[in-house]
PDB file of all heavy atoms in Angstrom:
ATOM      1  N   ASP U   1     180.196 129.084  73.133  1.00 95.00           N
ATOM      2  CA  ASP U   1     179.618 127.951  73.846  1.00 95.00           C
ATOM      3  C   ASP U   1     178.071 127.876  73.376  1.00 95.00           C
ATOM      4  O   ASP U   1     177.541 128.823  72.954  1.00 95.00           O
ATOM      5  CB  ASP U   1     179.642 128.312  75.402  1.00 95.00           C
ATOM      6  CG  ASP U   1     181.083 128.277  75.927  1.00 95.00           C
ATOM      7  OD1 ASP U   1     181.840 127.604  75.346  1.00 95.00           O
ATOM      8  OD2 ASP U   1     181.304 128.976  76.882  1.00 95.00           O
ATOM      9  N   VAL U   2     177.638 126.684  73.663  1.00 96.00           N
ATOM     10  CA  VAL U   2     176.190 126.422  73.392  1.00 96.00           C
ATOM     11  C   VAL U   2     175.350 127.421  74.207  1.00 96.00           C
ATOM     12  O   VAL U   2     175.687 127.625  75.441  1.00 96.00           O
ATOM     13  CB  VAL U   2     175.765 124.955  73.715  1.00 96.00           C
ATOM     14  CG1 VAL U   2     174.261 124.674  73.692  1.00 96.00           C
ATOM     15  CG2 VAL U   2     176.507 124.038  72.759  1.00 96.00           C
ATOM     16  N   ILE U   3     174.342 127.935  73.694  1.00 96.00           N
ATOM     17  CA  ILE U   3     173.399 128.866  74.318  1.00 96.00           C
ATOM     18  C   ILE U   3     172.152 128.047  74.885  1.00 96.00           C
ATOM     19  O   ILE U   3     171.624 127.255  74.071  1.00 96.00           O
ATOM     20  CB  ILE U   3     173.042 129.970  73.555  1.00 96.00           C
ATOM     21  CG1 ILE U   3     174.255 130.957  73.321  1.00 96.00           C
ATOM     22  CG2 ILE U   3     171.943 130.870  74.230  1.00 96.00           C
ATOM     23  CD1 ILE U   3     173.925 131.922  72.249  1.00 96.00           C
ATOM     24  N   ASP U   4     171.713 128.203  76.027  1.00 96.00           N
ATOM     25  CA  ASP U   4     170.688 127.603  76.563  1.00 96.00           C
ATOM     26  C   ASP U   4     169.419 127.861  75.685  1.00 96.00           C
ATOM     27  O   ASP U   4     168.947 129.067  75.518  1.00 96.00           O
ATOM     28  CB  ASP U   4     170.349 128.031  78.035  1.00 96.00           C
ATOM     29  CG  ASP U   4     169.238 127.181  78.645  1.00 96.00           C
ATOM     30  OD1 ASP U   4     168.367 126.712  77.975  1.00 96.00           O
ATOM     31  OD2 ASP U   4     169.164 127.229  79.977  1.00 96.00           O
ATOM     32  N   ILE U   5     168.789 126.853  75.091  1.00 96.00           N
ATOM     33  CA  ILE U   5     167.681 127.091  74.171  1.00 96.00           C
ATOM     34  C   ILE U   5     166.520 127.826  74.762  1.00 96.00           C
ATOM     35  O   ILE U   5     165.697 128.548  74.112  1.00 96.00           O
ATOM     36  CB  ILE U   5     167.155 125.762  73.422  1.00 96.00           C
ATOM     37  CG1 ILE U   5     166.595 126.112  72.122  1.00 96.00           C
ATOM     38  CG2 ILE U   5     166.295 125.027  74.357  1.00 96.00           C
ATOM     39  CD1 ILE U   5     167.598 126.367  71.122  1.00 96.00           C
ATOM     40  N   SER U   6     166.271 127.695  76.150  1.00 97.00           N
ATOM     41  CA  SER U   6     165.203 128.234  76.690  1.00 97.00           C
ATOM     42  C   SER U   6     165.233 129.807  76.711  1.00 97.00           C
ATOM     43  O   SER U   6     164.315 130.474  76.653  1.00 97.00           O
ATOM     44  CB  SER U   6     165.153 127.855  78.267  1.00 97.00           C
ATOM     45  OG  SER U   6     166.192 128.281  78.946  1.00 97.00           O
ATOM     46  N   ARG U   7     166.516 130.366  76.657  1.00 97.00           N
ATOM     47  CA  ARG U   7     166.707 131.893  76.490  1.00 97.00           C
ATOM     48  C   ARG U   7     165.993 132.373  75.144  1.00 97.00           C
ATOM     49  O   ARG U   7     165.386 133.371  75.190  1.00 97.00           O
ATOM     50  CB  ARG U   7     168.109 132.224  76.662  1.00 97.00           C
ATOM     51  CG  ARG U   7     168.787 131.891  77.899  1.00 97.00           C
ATOM     52  CD  ARG U   7     170.238 132.345  77.997  1.00 97.00           C
ATOM     53  NE  ARG U   7     170.791 132.129  79.266  1.00 97.00           N
ATOM     54  CZ  ARG U   7     171.985 132.693  79.832  1.00 97.00           C
ATOM     55  NH1 ARG U   7     172.485 133.671  79.019  1.00 97.00           N
ATOM     56  NH2 ARG U   7     172.400 132.429  80.965  1.00 97.00           N
ATOM     57  N   ILE U   8     166.395 131.599  74.077  1.00 98.00           N
ATOM     58  CA  ILE U   8     165.806 132.049  72.847  1.00 98.00           C
ATOM     59  C   ILE U   8     164.300 131.808  72.892  1.00 98.00           C
ATOM     60  O   ILE U   8     163.635 132.634  72.214  1.00 98.00           O
ATOM     61  CB  ILE U   8     166.541 131.277  71.679  1.00 98.00           C
ATOM     62  CG1 ILE U   8     168.109 131.461  71.871  1.00 98.00           C
ATOM     63  CG2 ILE U   8     166.060 131.730  70.362  1.00 98.00           C
ATOM     64  CD1 ILE U   8     168.871 130.264  71.280  1.00 98.00           C
ATOM     65  N   ARG U   9     163.894 130.705  73.364  1.00 98.00           N
ATOM     66  CA  ARG U   9     162.430 130.454  73.436  1.00 98.00           C
ATOM     67  C   ARG U   9     161.612 131.620  74.165  1.00 98.00           C
ATOM     68  O   ARG U   9     160.607 131.939  73.683  1.00 98.00           O
ATOM     69  CB  ARG U   9     162.210 129.101  74.082  1.00 98.00           C
ATOM     70  CG  ARG U   9     160.639 128.728  74.259  1.00 98.00           C
ATOM     71  CD  ARG U   9     160.404 127.553  75.112  1.00 98.00           C
ATOM     72  NE  ARG U   9     160.727 127.761  76.506  1.00 98.00           N
ATOM     73  CZ  ARG U   9     160.067 128.526  77.368  1.00 98.00           C
ATOM     74  NH1 ARG U   9     158.877 129.053  76.892  1.00 98.00           N
ATOM     75  NH2 ARG U   9     160.407 128.730  78.666  1.00 98.00           N
ATOM     76  N   VAL U  10     162.240 132.101  75.250  1.00 97.00           N
ATOM     77  CA  VAL U  10     161.502 133.123  76.043  1.00 97.00           C
ATOM     78  C   VAL U  10     161.379 134.360  75.178  1.00 97.00           C
ATOM     79  O   VAL U  10     160.291 135.031  75.169  1.00 97.00           O
ATOM     80  CB  VAL U  10     162.358 133.528  77.195  1.00 97.00           C
ATOM     81  CG1 VAL U  10     161.969 134.720  77.897  1.00 97.00           C
ATOM     82  CG2 VAL U  10     162.262 132.292  78.338  1.00 97.00           C
ATOM     83  N   LEU U  11     162.378 134.699  74.308  1.00 98.00           N
ATOM     84  CA  LEU U  11     162.217 135.938  73.352  1.00 98.00           C
ATOM     85  C   LEU U  11     161.166 135.671  72.346  1.00 98.00           C
ATOM     86  O   LEU U  11     160.254 136.463  72.212  1.00 98.00           O
ATOM     87  CB  LEU U  11     163.597 136.144  72.744  1.00 98.00           C
ATOM     88  CG  LEU U  11     163.479 137.272  71.672  1.00 98.00           C
ATOM     89  CD1 LEU U  11     163.158 138.644  72.278  1.00 98.00           C
ATOM     90  CD2 LEU U  11     164.782 137.319  70.900  1.00 98.00           C
ATOM     91  N   LEU U  12     161.250 134.502  71.732  1.00 98.00           N
ATOM     92  CA  LEU U  12     160.267 134.258  70.574  1.00 98.00           C
ATOM     93  C   LEU U  12     158.916 134.172  71.252  1.00 98.00           C
ATOM     94  O   LEU U  12     157.948 134.583  70.611  1.00 98.00           O
ATOM     95  CB  LEU U  12     160.591 132.840  69.990  1.00 98.00           C
ATOM     96  CG  LEU U  12     161.956 132.924  69.282  1.00 98.00           C
ATOM     97  CD1 LEU U  12     162.216 131.554  68.588  1.00 98.00           C
ATOM     98  CD2 LEU U  12     162.078 133.960  68.175  1.00 98.00           C
ATOM     99  N   ASN U  13     158.713 133.436  72.410  1.00 98.00           N
ATOM    100  CA  ASN U  13     157.338 133.396  72.962  1.00 98.00           C
ATOM    101  C   ASN U  13     156.770 134.687  73.344  1.00 98.00           C
ATOM    102  O   ASN U  13     155.620 134.996  73.183  1.00 98.00           O
ATOM    103  CB  ASN U  13     157.408 132.485  74.085  1.00 98.00           C
ATOM    104  CG  ASN U  13     156.068 131.949  74.697  1.00 98.00           C
ATOM    105  OD1 ASN U  13     155.300 131.565  73.866  1.00 98.00           O
ATOM    106  ND2 ASN U  13     155.753 132.218  75.934  1.00 98.00           N
ATOM    107  N   ALA U  14     157.711 135.497  73.961  1.00 97.00           N
ATOM    108  CA  ALA U  14     157.242 136.930  74.439  1.00 97.00           C
ATOM    109  C   ALA U  14     156.661 137.599  73.249  1.00 97.00           C
ATOM    110  O   ALA U  14     155.615 138.318  73.254  1.00 97.00           O
ATOM    111  CB  ALA U  14     158.246 137.671  75.052  1.00 97.00           C
ATOM    112  N   ALA U  15     157.432 137.648  72.175  1.00 97.00           N
ATOM    113  CA  ALA U  15     157.039 138.418  70.828  1.00 97.00           C
ATOM    114  C   ALA U  15     155.743 137.739  70.435  1.00 97.00           C
ATOM    115  O   ALA U  15     154.817 138.454  69.849  1.00 97.00           O
ATOM    116  CB  ALA U  15     158.071 138.393  69.944  1.00 97.00           C
ATOM    117  N   SER U  16     155.661 136.455  70.332  1.00 97.00           N
ATOM    118  CA  SER U  16     154.459 135.778  69.734  1.00 97.00           C
ATOM    119  C   SER U  16     153.310 136.023  70.668  1.00 97.00           C
ATOM    120  O   SER U  16     152.145 136.299  70.082  1.00 97.00           O
ATOM    121  CB  SER U  16     154.778 134.317  69.758  1.00 97.00           C
ATOM    122  OG  SER U  16     153.584 133.600  69.308  1.00 97.00           O
ATOM    123  N   ALA U  17     153.350 136.078  71.933  1.00 97.00           N
ATOM    124  CA  ALA U  17     152.232 136.365  72.911  1.00 97.00           C
ATOM    125  C   ALA U  17     151.742 137.767  72.713  1.00 97.00           C
ATOM    126  O   ALA U  17     150.540 138.093  72.913  1.00 97.00           O
ATOM    127  CB  ALA U  17     152.737 136.176  74.289  1.00 97.00           C
ATOM    128  N   ALA U  18     152.672 138.653  72.306  1.00 95.00           N
ATOM    129  CA  ALA U  18     152.233 140.040  72.084  1.00 95.00           C
ATOM    130  C   ALA U  18     151.729 140.245  70.623  1.00 95.00           C
ATOM    131  O   ALA U  18     151.310 141.425  70.316  1.00 95.00           O
ATOM    132  CB  ALA U  18     153.397 141.008  72.228  1.00 95.00           C
ATOM    133  N   GLY U  19     151.719 139.150  69.844  1.00 96.00           N
ATOM    134  CA  GLY U  19     151.300 139.261  68.474  1.00 96.00           C
ATOM    135  C   GLY U  19     152.301 140.097  67.584  1.00 96.00           C
ATOM    136  O   GLY U  19     151.792 140.686  66.590  1.00 96.00           O
ATOM    137  N   LYS U  20     153.553 140.089  68.123  1.00 97.00           N
ATOM    138  CA  LYS U  20     154.576 140.851  67.351  1.00 97.00           C
ATOM    139  C   LYS U  20     155.751 140.036  67.107  1.00 97.00           C
ATOM    140  O   LYS U  20     156.855 140.549  67.349  1.00 97.00           O
ATOM    141  CB  LYS U  20     154.940 142.144  68.294  1.00 97.00           C
ATOM    142  CG  LYS U  20     153.802 143.080  68.615  1.00 97.00           C
ATOM    143  CD  LYS U  20     153.386 143.823  67.358  1.00 97.00           C
ATOM    144  CE  LYS U  20     152.320 144.849  67.748  1.00 97.00           C
ATOM    145  NZ  LYS U  20     151.950 145.666  66.546  1.00 97.00           N
ATOM    146  N   LEU U  21     155.729 138.902  66.529  1.00 98.00           N
ATOM    147  CA  LEU U  21     156.840 138.106  66.271  1.00 98.00           C
ATOM    148  C   LEU U  21     157.088 138.321  64.687  1.00 98.00           C
ATOM    149  O   LEU U  21     156.387 138.020  63.958  1.00 98.00           O
ATOM    150  CB  LEU U  21     156.552 136.587  66.542  1.00 98.00           C
ATOM    151  CG  LEU U  21     157.708 135.631  66.170  1.00 98.00           C
ATOM    152  CD1 LEU U  21     158.961 135.956  67.056  1.00 98.00           C
ATOM    153  CD2 LEU U  21     157.237 134.200  66.412  1.00 98.00           C
ATOM    154  N   PRO U  22     158.251 138.855  64.494  1.00 98.00           N
ATOM    155  CA  PRO U  22     158.667 139.126  63.067  1.00 98.00           C
ATOM    156  C   PRO U  22     159.098 137.835  62.392  1.00 98.00           C
ATOM    157  O   PRO U  22     159.467 136.873  63.114  1.00 98.00           O
ATOM    158  CB  PRO U  22     159.777 140.087  63.106  1.00 98.00           C
ATOM    159  CG  PRO U  22     160.422 139.880  64.393  1.00 98.00           C
ATOM    160  CD  PRO U  22     159.298 139.398  65.416  1.00 98.00           C
ATOM    161  N   ARG U  23     159.109 137.779  61.104  1.00 98.00           N
ATOM    162  CA  ARG U  23     159.917 136.827  60.352  1.00 98.00           C
ATOM    163  C   ARG U  23     161.285 136.806  60.909  1.00 98.00           C
ATOM    164  O   ARG U  23     161.956 137.770  61.010  1.00 98.00           O
ATOM    165  CB  ARG U  23     159.962 137.060  58.790  1.00 98.00           C
ATOM    166  CG  ARG U  23     160.853 136.237  58.004  1.00 98.00           C
ATOM    167  CD  ARG U  23     160.037 134.846  57.723  1.00 98.00           C
ATOM    168  NE  ARG U  23     160.889 134.064  56.845  1.00 98.00           N
ATOM    169  CZ  ARG U  23     161.756 133.274  56.960  1.00 98.00           C
ATOM    170  NH1 ARG U  23     162.164 133.017  58.329  1.00 98.00           N
ATOM    171  NH2 ARG U  23     162.313 132.551  56.119  1.00 98.00           N
ATOM    172  N   THR U  24     161.785 135.591  61.294  1.00 98.00           N
ATOM    173  CA  THR U  24     162.980 135.394  61.987  1.00 98.00           C
ATOM    174  C   THR U  24     163.824 134.336  61.432  1.00 98.00           C
ATOM    175  O   THR U  24     163.370 133.240  61.110  1.00 98.00           O
ATOM    176  CB  THR U  24     162.662 135.077  63.470  1.00 98.00           C
ATOM    177  OG1 THR U  24     161.878 136.108  64.111  1.00 98.00           O
ATOM    178  CG2 THR U  24     164.039 134.950  64.351  1.00 98.00           C
ATOM    179  N   VAL U  25     165.193 134.535  61.366  1.00 98.00           N
ATOM    180  CA  VAL U  25     166.183 133.620  60.836  1.00 98.00           C
ATOM    181  C   VAL U  25     167.190 133.460  61.894  1.00 98.00           C
ATOM    182  O   VAL U  25     167.731 134.440  62.383  1.00 98.00           O
ATOM    183  CB  VAL U  25     166.765 133.926  59.457  1.00 98.00           C
ATOM    184  CG1 VAL U  25     167.649 132.870  59.028  1.00 98.00           C
ATOM    185  CG2 VAL U  25     165.758 134.289  58.538  1.00 98.00           C
ATOM    186  N   ILE U  26     167.458 132.232  62.397  1.00 98.00           N
ATOM    187  CA  ILE U  26     168.379 131.980  63.535  1.00 98.00           C
ATOM    188  C   ILE U  26     169.586 131.187  63.036  1.00 98.00           C
ATOM    189  O   ILE U  26     169.412 130.121  62.433  1.00 98.00           O
ATOM    190  CB  ILE U  26     167.720 131.290  64.649  1.00 98.00           C
ATOM    191  CG1 ILE U  26     166.504 132.059  65.189  1.00 98.00           C
ATOM    192  CG2 ILE U  26     168.636 131.139  65.869  1.00 98.00           C
ATOM    193  CD1 ILE U  26     165.686 131.424  66.292  1.00 98.00           C
ATOM    194  N   TYR U  27     170.823 131.650  63.251  1.00 97.00           N
ATOM    195  CA  TYR U  27     171.996 131.086  62.686  1.00 97.00           C
ATOM    196  C   TYR U  27     172.725 130.654  64.142  1.00 97.00           C
ATOM    197  O   TYR U  27     172.768 131.407  65.151  1.00 97.00           O
ATOM    198  CB  TYR U  27     172.875 132.014  62.015  1.00 97.00           C
ATOM    199  CG  TYR U  27     172.143 132.763  60.900  1.00 97.00           C
ATOM    200  CD1 TYR U  27     171.508 133.883  61.128  1.00 97.00           C
ATOM    201  CD2 TYR U  27     172.148 132.258  59.517  1.00 97.00           C
ATOM    202  CE1 TYR U  27     170.894 134.599  60.120  1.00 97.00           C
ATOM    203  CE2 TYR U  27     171.662 132.900  58.515  1.00 97.00           C
ATOM    204  CZ  TYR U  27     170.873 134.021  58.785  1.00 97.00           C
ATOM    205  OH  TYR U  27     170.264 134.762  57.790  1.00 97.00           O
ATOM    206  N   SER U  28     173.546 129.593  64.033  1.00 97.00           N
ATOM    207  CA  SER U  28     174.373 129.237  65.230  1.00 97.00           C
ATOM    208  C   SER U  28     175.777 128.961  64.663  1.00 97.00           C
ATOM    209  O   SER U  28     175.961 128.217  63.688  1.00 97.00           O
ATOM    210  CB  SER U  28     173.920 128.066  65.960  1.00 97.00           C
ATOM    211  OG  SER U  28     174.830 127.663  66.970  1.00 97.00           O
ATOM    212  N   LEU U  29     176.841 129.568  65.252  1.00 96.00           N
ATOM    213  CA  LEU U  29     178.194 129.265  64.848  1.00 96.00           C
ATOM    214  C   LEU U  29     178.480 127.923  65.445  1.00 96.00           C
ATOM    215  O   LEU U  29     179.546 127.234  65.119  1.00 96.00           O
ATOM    216  CB  LEU U  29     179.120 130.330  65.328  1.00 96.00           C
ATOM    217  CG  LEU U  29     180.488 130.500  64.620  1.00 96.00           C
ATOM    218  CD1 LEU U  29     180.295 130.489  63.137  1.00 96.00           C
ATOM    219  CD2 LEU U  29     181.215 131.634  65.180  1.00 96.00           C
ATOM    220  N   ASN U  30     177.915 127.517  66.556  1.00 96.00           N
ATOM    221  CA  ASN U  30     178.228 126.206  67.170  1.00 96.00           C
ATOM    222  C   ASN U  30     177.156 125.132  66.579  1.00 96.00           C
ATOM    223  O   ASN U  30     176.028 125.218  66.898  1.00 96.00           O
ATOM    224  CB  ASN U  30     178.061 126.281  68.697  1.00 96.00           C
ATOM    225  CG  ASN U  30     178.494 125.092  69.485  1.00 96.00           C
ATOM    226  OD1 ASN U  30     178.339 123.924  68.991  1.00 96.00           O
ATOM    227  ND2 ASN U  30     179.106 125.396  70.619  1.00 96.00           N
ATOM    228  N   PRO U  31     177.572 124.265  65.809  1.00 95.00           N
ATOM    229  CA  PRO U  31     176.755 123.337  65.069  1.00 95.00           C
ATOM    230  C   PRO U  31     175.997 122.397  65.972  1.00 95.00           C
ATOM    231  O   PRO U  31     174.995 121.744  65.566  1.00 95.00           O
ATOM    232  CB  PRO U  31     177.710 122.667  64.071  1.00 95.00           C
ATOM    233  CG  PRO U  31     178.984 122.695  64.623  1.00 95.00           C
ATOM    234  CD  PRO U  31     178.941 124.097  65.320  1.00 95.00           C
ATOM    235  N   SER U  32     176.407 122.235  67.166  1.00 96.00           N
ATOM    236  CA  SER U  32     175.789 121.296  68.124  1.00 96.00           C
ATOM    237  C   SER U  32     174.341 121.903  68.583  1.00 96.00           C
ATOM    238  O   SER U  32     173.561 121.108  69.143  1.00 96.00           O
ATOM    239  CB  SER U  32     176.664 121.003  69.435  1.00 96.00           C
ATOM    240  OG  SER U  32     176.816 122.142  70.078  1.00 96.00           O
ATOM    241  N   MET U  33     174.093 123.063  68.169  1.00 96.00           N
ATOM    242  CA  MET U  33     172.850 123.708  68.515  1.00 96.00           C
ATOM    243  C   MET U  33     171.808 123.406  67.443  1.00 96.00           C
ATOM    244  O   MET U  33     170.567 123.794  67.606  1.00 96.00           O
ATOM    245  CB  MET U  33     172.982 125.171  68.803  1.00 96.00           C
ATOM    246  CG  MET U  33     173.757 125.588  69.996  1.00 96.00           C
ATOM    247  SD  MET U  33     173.689 127.431  70.225  1.00 96.00           S
ATOM    248  CE  MET U  33     172.139 127.715  70.471  1.00 96.00           C
ATOM    249  N   TYR U  34     172.219 123.047  66.256  1.00 96.00           N
ATOM    250  CA  TYR U  34     171.296 122.930  65.084  1.00 96.00           C
ATOM    251  C   TYR U  34     170.050 122.135  65.453  1.00 96.00           C
ATOM    252  O   TYR U  34     168.904 122.580  65.104  1.00 96.00           O
ATOM    253  CB  TYR U  34     171.966 122.294  63.970  1.00 96.00           C
ATOM    254  CG  TYR U  34     172.909 123.022  63.215  1.00 96.00           C
ATOM    255  CD1 TYR U  34     173.792 122.486  62.232  1.00 96.00           C
ATOM    256  CD2 TYR U  34     173.119 124.387  63.430  1.00 96.00           C
ATOM    257  CE1 TYR U  34     174.728 123.182  61.441  1.00 96.00           C
ATOM    258  CE2 TYR U  34     174.152 125.080  62.796  1.00 96.00           C
ATOM    259  CZ  TYR U  34     174.917 124.571  61.781  1.00 96.00           C
ATOM    260  OH  TYR U  34     175.886 125.229  61.174  1.00 96.00           O
ATOM    261  N   TYR U  35     170.173 120.959  66.121  1.00 95.00           N
ATOM    262  CA  TYR U  35     169.013 120.187  66.415  1.00 95.00           C
ATOM    263  C   TYR U  35     168.018 120.750  67.207  1.00 95.00           C
ATOM    264  O   TYR U  35     166.806 120.747  66.865  1.00 95.00           O
ATOM    265  CB  TYR U  35     169.560 118.818  66.821  1.00 95.00           C
ATOM    266  CG  TYR U  35     168.785 117.580  66.571  1.00 95.00           C
ATOM    267  CD1 TYR U  35     169.036 116.878  65.355  1.00 95.00           C
ATOM    268  CD2 TYR U  35     167.731 117.116  67.313  1.00 95.00           C
ATOM    269  CE1 TYR U  35     168.342 115.818  65.010  1.00 95.00           C
ATOM    270  CE2 TYR U  35     167.016 115.963  66.967  1.00 95.00           C
ATOM    271  CZ  TYR U  35     167.392 115.290  65.683  1.00 95.00           C
ATOM    272  OH  TYR U  35     166.719 114.212  65.352  1.00 95.00           O
ATOM    273  N   THR U  36     168.443 121.373  68.250  1.00 97.00           N
ATOM    274  CA  THR U  36     167.473 121.973  69.189  1.00 97.00           C
ATOM    275  C   THR U  36     166.877 123.225  68.564  1.00 97.00           C
ATOM    276  O   THR U  36     165.724 123.533  68.676  1.00 97.00           O
ATOM    277  CB  THR U  36     168.062 122.315  70.599  1.00 97.00           C
ATOM    278  OG1 THR U  36     169.342 122.985  70.292  1.00 97.00           O
ATOM    279  CG2 THR U  36     168.445 121.097  71.297  1.00 97.00           C
ATOM    280  N   LEU U  37     167.792 123.984  67.873  1.00 97.00           N
ATOM    281  CA  LEU U  37     167.226 125.204  67.228  1.00 97.00           C
ATOM    282  C   LEU U  37     166.224 124.880  66.168  1.00 97.00           C
ATOM    283  O   LEU U  37     165.182 125.557  66.054  1.00 97.00           O
ATOM    284  CB  LEU U  37     168.390 125.983  66.633  1.00 97.00           C
ATOM    285  CG  LEU U  37     169.147 126.927  67.574  1.00 97.00           C
ATOM    286  CD1 LEU U  37     170.333 127.459  66.723  1.00 97.00           C
ATOM    287  CD2 LEU U  37     168.232 128.024  68.145  1.00 97.00           C
ATOM    288  N   ALA U  38     166.454 123.796  65.413  1.00 97.00           N
ATOM    289  CA  ALA U  38     165.442 123.437  64.368  1.00 97.00           C
ATOM    290  C   ALA U  38     164.128 122.994  64.997  1.00 97.00           C
ATOM    291  O   ALA U  38     163.098 123.497  64.405  1.00 97.00           O
ATOM    292  CB  ALA U  38     166.035 122.229  63.530  1.00 97.00           C
ATOM    293  N   THR U  39     164.079 122.423  66.087  1.00 97.00           N
ATOM    294  CA  THR U  39     162.899 122.077  66.734  1.00 97.00           C
ATOM    295  C   THR U  39     162.122 123.321  67.398  1.00 97.00           C
ATOM    296  O   THR U  39     161.000 123.462  67.232  1.00 97.00           O
ATOM    297  CB  THR U  39     163.024 121.017  67.788  1.00 97.00           C
ATOM    298  OG1 THR U  39     163.904 121.436  68.756  1.00 97.00           O
ATOM    299  CG2 THR U  39     163.594 119.691  67.162  1.00 97.00           C
ATOM    300  N   LEU U  40     162.975 124.187  67.837  1.00 98.00           N
ATOM    301  CA  LEU U  40     162.420 125.385  68.390  1.00 98.00           C
ATOM    302  C   LEU U  40     161.859 126.264  67.242  1.00 98.00           C
ATOM    303  O   LEU U  40     160.680 126.821  67.448  1.00 98.00           O
ATOM    304  CB  LEU U  40     163.534 126.277  69.115  1.00 98.00           C
ATOM    305  CG  LEU U  40     163.157 127.692  69.637  1.00 98.00           C
ATOM    306  CD1 LEU U  40     162.086 127.479  70.678  1.00 98.00           C
ATOM    307  CD2 LEU U  40     164.324 128.427  70.099  1.00 98.00           C
ATOM    308  N   CYS U  41     162.500 126.335  66.047  1.00 97.00           N
ATOM    309  CA  CYS U  41     161.921 127.113  65.035  1.00 97.00           C
ATOM    310  C   CYS U  41     160.598 126.543  64.531  1.00 97.00           C
ATOM    311  O   CYS U  41     159.645 127.322  64.124  1.00 97.00           O
ATOM    312  CB  CYS U  41     162.959 127.098  63.893  1.00 97.00           C
ATOM    313  SG  CYS U  41     164.422 128.057  64.062  1.00 97.00           S
ATOM    314  N   GLY U  42     160.400 125.258  64.679  1.00 97.00           N
ATOM    315  CA  GLY U  42     159.221 124.637  64.251  1.00 97.00           C
ATOM    316  C   GLY U  42     158.075 124.934  65.151  1.00 97.00           C
ATOM    317  O   GLY U  42     156.890 124.692  64.740  1.00 97.00           O
ATOM    318  N   ALA U  43     158.321 125.447  66.294  1.00 97.00           N
ATOM    319  CA  ALA U  43     157.240 125.858  67.286  1.00 97.00           C
ATOM    320  C   ALA U  43     156.662 127.181  67.081  1.00 97.00           C
ATOM    321  O   ALA U  43     155.557 127.566  67.630  1.00 97.00           O
ATOM    322  CB  ALA U  43     157.733 125.812  68.738  1.00 97.00           C
TER     323      ALA U  43
END
């Protein structure tokens, strides 16, 4: 099923706020997530 994008954002934001966000690559087996994931990655 599609995963709520806010869940992934919370993780990335927490790591970023701590200055500890690693180089990250995100894949989705559900292609309907591509659009939202691509915009999240750009943030």
Side-chain angles (χ1 to χ4, degrees):
D1 294 334
V2 170
I3 293 172
D4 186 342
I5 205 74
S6 66
R7 297 187 177 196
I8 306 156
R9 180 190 64 79
V10 167
L11 172 65
L12 298 179
N13 192 56
S16 178
K20 299 290 186 178
L21 179 61
R23 172 78 171 89
T24 301
V25 184
I26 305 177
Y27 313 83
S28 173
L29 200 55
N30 192 321
S32 64
M33 291 182 64
Y34 287 174
Y35 215 83
T36 50
L37 278 176
T39 60
L40 177 66
C41 291

